[in-house]
Amino acid sequence: MSIATTSDGRSVWDNLVGQRHIISMLQTAATGSTDGLGRRFGKGMTQSWLFTGPPGSGRSNAAIAFAAALQCPNGGCGHCHECHTVLAGSHADVNLVRTEKLTLGVDEIRDLVRQAALSPAGSRWQILIIEDADRLTEQANNALLKAVEEPGARTVWMLCAPTVEDVLPTIRSRCRLVTLTTPTTPDVSAFLQRTLGVDEARGTYAARASQGHIGRAKALARDDDTRRRREQVVAYPTRLTTLADALRAAGELAAVSKEEADAVTADLDAKEKSDLDVGYGVVDRGRRPREYGPALAALEKDQKRRATRRHRDVIDRGLMDLVSIYRDAITLAAGAPVALVNEEHRREIEQLVERSTPELNLQRIGAIFEAREQLLEFNVQPQLVLEAMMVALLPPGGDQ
């Protein structure tokens, strides 16, 4: 499975957008380290790291690039076998753990801890990257703590999470913190033009609309359906006038989010089912071994969890698109000398400013963040969350 690629082969750091200070720090640590039992750490090298930053800032890409630099004899040249295999996800001594489920359980972490105790196959480091450290269960955190606190002589742990508060205090206190920032619009636009070959106008639009989320920016730059779905969402604020409008918008947002989530997961679900059938000989022998039923049930359970998470993640992106409209309205009303996220919708935003106040739009942003919390933290049914939120976004007297 490919987990990162260099754009032009110059170095492993090329796809870290707008993170120059982080790159400098990690380069120093990588060049200061030494393979295996030769030790000579120095220059900021430690064996437990915590990468934090807002969604889309490139936390896992930074960890992967750092892993490549640690395995590379030249500190991350981007050309050698070590760099290529780390970036391609096939290096024997670099293990990336990511989950499509709502949580990352203790069994997966115990397997990782057992691997961490082994000596690396090569001459340098055994590196273990946990992409979703904020999704660790309590048992998983407890299983991880000892390993992070006392890593093996040639083991490096890298944890990724949105904020330090998302990680158990006893774990984060034992890690060196790497804090990524949201990339600027010019940095993201230049990256899209360089890596995807899009023109400046499309690159700038995608950079602004994504609000610095690199994955989202890529999708907006190259996929017409993604742009269409976003345009539908950002049109809601000026169209919400009645209770019927609010309920209709909630249904549409739920449906369009599910459509996008299903499009992402359908092919993966089918491949996993096919691989399971082949593994148990169902395809070749035309019969189902006794063990096949439980394995299929477990797979379907995991796929359902993944679909739930994906659906909620897509809804969450839509909610942040809504926030950007109300943020732009406050910006215009205040006369702030900053760029609009939705510059191409300036006329509609001006209409929103005329019909509202900054205080009302701040309340609306608060209602959206409350919906996000109910959706992501309290697992409330999405349709109910969206209906309540859309009603809260109605203009005063517009709930009839």
Side-chain angles (χ1 to χ4, degrees):
M1 176 176 61
S2 177
I3 53 180
T5 56
T6 51
S7 57
D8 55 14
R10 290 180 300 170
S11 81
V12 298
W13 312 103
D14 288 343
N15 278 354
L16 295 187
V17 183
Q19 309 296 341
R20 295 174 183 84
H21 65 298
I22 295 300
I23 292 173
S24 177
M25 181 183 75
L26 295 177
Q27 281 179 319
T28 299
T31 54
S33 70
T34 295
D35 48 310
L37 299 179
R39 310 309 302 218
R40 191 181 67 82
F41 291 179
K43 295 188 178 179
M45 180 57 189
T46 186
Q47 289 178 260
S48 298
W49 297 77
L50 173 57
F51 291 79
T52 68
S57 58
R59 298 184 300 262
S60 58
N61 277 346
I64 292 163
F66 185 39
L70 288 175
Q71 301 292 18
C72 174
N74 299 308
C77 66
H79 304 290
C80 68
H81 174 76
E82 302 295 332
C83 286
H84 281 298
T85 52
V86 173
L87 298 179
S90 58
H91 196 288
D93 293 330
V94 178
N95 192 340
L96 171 69
V97 174
R98 55 162 54 105
T99 183
E100 294 289 350
K101 297 183 292 185
L102 296 175
T103 59
L104 190 57
V106 65
D107 290 339
E108 295 162 287
I109 296 304
R110 283 173 177 163
D111 288 341
L112 205 60
V113 170
R114 281 192 286 268
Q115 180 176 338
L118 302 175
S119 296
S123 62
R124 297 179 75 85
W125 299 101
Q126 174 86 266
I127 300 176
L128 304 110
I129 304 171
I130 301 179
E131 184 177 87
D132 299 289
D134 54 312
R135 295 184 183 272
L136 292 170
T137 64
E138 182 178 356
Q139 286 183 311
N141 271 308
N142 292 334
L144 179 63
L145 175 58
K146 184 70 171 178
V148 170
E149 186 176 24
E150 298 178 6
R154 299 168 65 185
T155 300
V156 176
W157 287 94
M158 301 183 191
L159 314 182
C160 305
T163 71
V164 293
E165 287 76 19
D166 293 312
V167 178
L168 198 69
T170 49
I171 290 180
R172 71 190 189 219
S173 66
R174 289 157 173 79
C175 298
R176 181 172 181 187
L177 181 62
V178 180
T179 303
L180 283 75
T181 58
T182 300
T184 66
T185 293
D187 281 341
V188 177
S189 178
F191 172 76
L192 296 174
Q193 293 175 59
R194 175 169 58 86
T195 59
L196 300 183
V198 299
D199 59 32
E200 182 178 0
R202 176 166 290 196
T204 300
Y205 160 77
R208 279 192 289 99
S210 70
Q211 301 178 73
H213 190 297
I214 301 300
R216 179 70 165 160
K218 288 181 178 179
L220 288 167
R222 63 191 175 195
D223 185 62
D224 291 338
D225 287 339
T226 300
R227 290 193 296 276
R228 172 184 58 79
R229 286 189 287 263
R230 184 183 188 277
E231 291 302 300
Q232 181 177 345
V233 170
V234 298
Y236 288 142
T238 55
R239 295 179 182 176
L240 294 176
T241 57
T242 68
L243 180 59
D245 293 334
L247 297 180
R248 186 182 308 112
E252 290 175 354
L253 181 53
V256 76
S257 300
K258 191 173 189 308
E259 173 190 342
E260 181 174 347
D262 288 347
V264 172
T265 58
D267 289 343
L268 180 56
D269 287 352
K271 183 180 185 304
E272 289 176 342
K273 173 62 164 55
S274 177
D275 290 344
L276 184 72
D277 290 347
V278 171
Y280 281 89
V282 173
V283 175
D284 295 333
R285 295 196 295 268
R287 62 182 181 84
R288 298 188 174 192
R290 180 181 304 172
E291 300 84 1
Y292 176 78
L296 178 60
L299 174 64
E300 290 174 343
K301 185 177 181 180
D302 284 344
Q303 289 179 340
K304 184 177 180 180
R305 288 173 178 165
R306 178 172 63 206
T308 298
R309 175 186 169 184
R310 182 74 68 177
H311 186 199
R312 292 171 187 269
D313 285 347
V314 174
I315 291 175
D316 187 53
R317 286 202 298 268
L319 298 187
M320 293 309 297
D321 289 334
L322 277 176
V323 167
S324 72
I325 290 289
Y326 293 115
R327 173 264 186 195
D328 282 347
I330 294 171
T331 298
L332 277 184
V338 296
L340 299 184
V341 173
N342 303 279
E343 180 61 45
E344 61 280 357
H345 293 286
R346 177 178 284 269
R347 183 173 180 180
E348 294 94 325
I349 295 169
E350 289 172 345
Q351 294 173 359
L352 184 62
V353 170
E354 293 172 0
R355 302 200 300 258
S356 62
T357 65
E359 292 77 14
L360 177 57
N361 288 326
L362 278 173
Q363 292 175 14
R364 287 165 167 164
I365 290 175
I368 296 172
F369 275 97
E370 182 179 349
R372 294 182 73 219
E373 184 178 27
Q374 291 177 337
L375 188 71
L376 300 177
E377 300 296 331
F378 299 110
N379 211 24
V380 181
Q381 206 276 334
Q383 184 70 33
L384 296 177
V385 172
L386 293 177
E387 287 176 355
M389 183 198 73
M390 289 296 183
V391 170
L393 299 183
L394 287 170
D399 56 351
Q400 304 299 316

